[in-house]
């Protein structure tokens, strides 16, 4: 199954994608994660996108299309993929359609997750993760049980915050979402692939809605 998750920053795309990976045995293709890995590895491309990402602006279509092409060419998505944070522009959506068609792959469903802007800003500005296992926490909604210790893997002092999870970058990311990415909702609706779910609520509750959208 090949799925695209569309939603504003902080809508919970990554969290739901991780659940789908486990439940459906498909891979998560997150361009945001790939770009953060490129930065962490110190590659030339990683250096080039660092400031753009910290500001909350979009990196070029060429870079992200290249990252997805590499994954599709490697056959990593053989059993299916969840595209998380890609495509974000019409150019990326067209490129993805062409890449998939050339490999005989079909898109099964595009799920748009809706969450109102104030909830998104609150979610993102309080968000932090364990650098060891990736568990996601929140200052107000999900603090760790013991300060500086991950509930899941027990790592100490491993928490980290994304440099773009601050209010100023978040406003830019939201602006870019409404300007460039939300138009894809109409694009996939016109292709008969779109489902919309409410992204507000507990993780399991949203996961239930996701499964209804995908299987219903
Ligand atoms: P994310 O982890 O999806 O929130 O992405 C973090 C940042 O990476 C974004 O704010 C952009 O700067 C960049 N980025 C990730 N995916 C894309 C994409 N498909 N197109 C352009 N920029 C992207």
């Amino acid at each position: 199954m090949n799925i695209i998750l569309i939603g504003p920053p902080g809508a919970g795309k990554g969290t739901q994608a991780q659940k789908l990976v486990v439940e459906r045995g498909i891979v998560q293709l997150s361009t945001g994660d790939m770009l953060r890995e490129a930065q962490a590895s110190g590659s030339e491309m990683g250096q080039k996108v660092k400031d753009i990402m910290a500001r909350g602006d979009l990196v070029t279509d060429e870079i992200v299309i290249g990252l997805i092409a590499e994954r599709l060419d490697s056959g990593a998505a053989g059993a299916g993929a969840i595209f998380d944070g890609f495509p974000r522009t019409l150019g990326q959506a067209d490129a993805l359609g062409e890449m998939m068609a050339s490999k005989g792959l079909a898109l099964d469903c595009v799920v748009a997750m809706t969450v109102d802007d104030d909830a998104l800003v609150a979610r993102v500005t309080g968000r932090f993760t364990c650098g060891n296992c990736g568990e996601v926490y929140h200052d107000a909604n999900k603090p760790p049980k013991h300060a500086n210790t991950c509930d899941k893997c027990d790592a100490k002092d491993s928490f980290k915050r994304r440099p773009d999870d601050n209010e100023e970058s978040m406003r830019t990311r939201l602006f870019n979402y409404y300007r460039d990415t939300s138009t894809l909702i109409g694009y996939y609706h016109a292709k008969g692939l779109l489902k919309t779910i409410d992204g507000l609520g507990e993780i399991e509750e949203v996961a239930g809605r996701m499964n209804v959208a995908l299987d219903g």
Side-chain angles (χ1 to χ4, degrees), residues 27 41 68 90 105 107 129 144 182 186 196 199:
V27 297
S41 75
I68 292 291
L90 284 172
L105 301 171
L107 200 52
T129 55
S182 63
T196 302

Side-chain angles (χ1 to χ4, degrees), residues 9 54-57 116-122 124-125 164-179:
R55 278 201 308 273
D57 278 323
D116 76 64
D117 290 356
D118 288 342
L120 292 170
V121 174
V124 162
T125 52
D164 57 346
D165 276 352
N166 60 72
E167 187 152 355
E168 198 187 341
S169 296
M170 182 58 186
R171 296 281 169 205
T172 306
R173 288 155 72 195
L174 274 176
F175 179 81
N176 288 331
Y177 174 76
Y178 289 116
R179 188 190 58 193

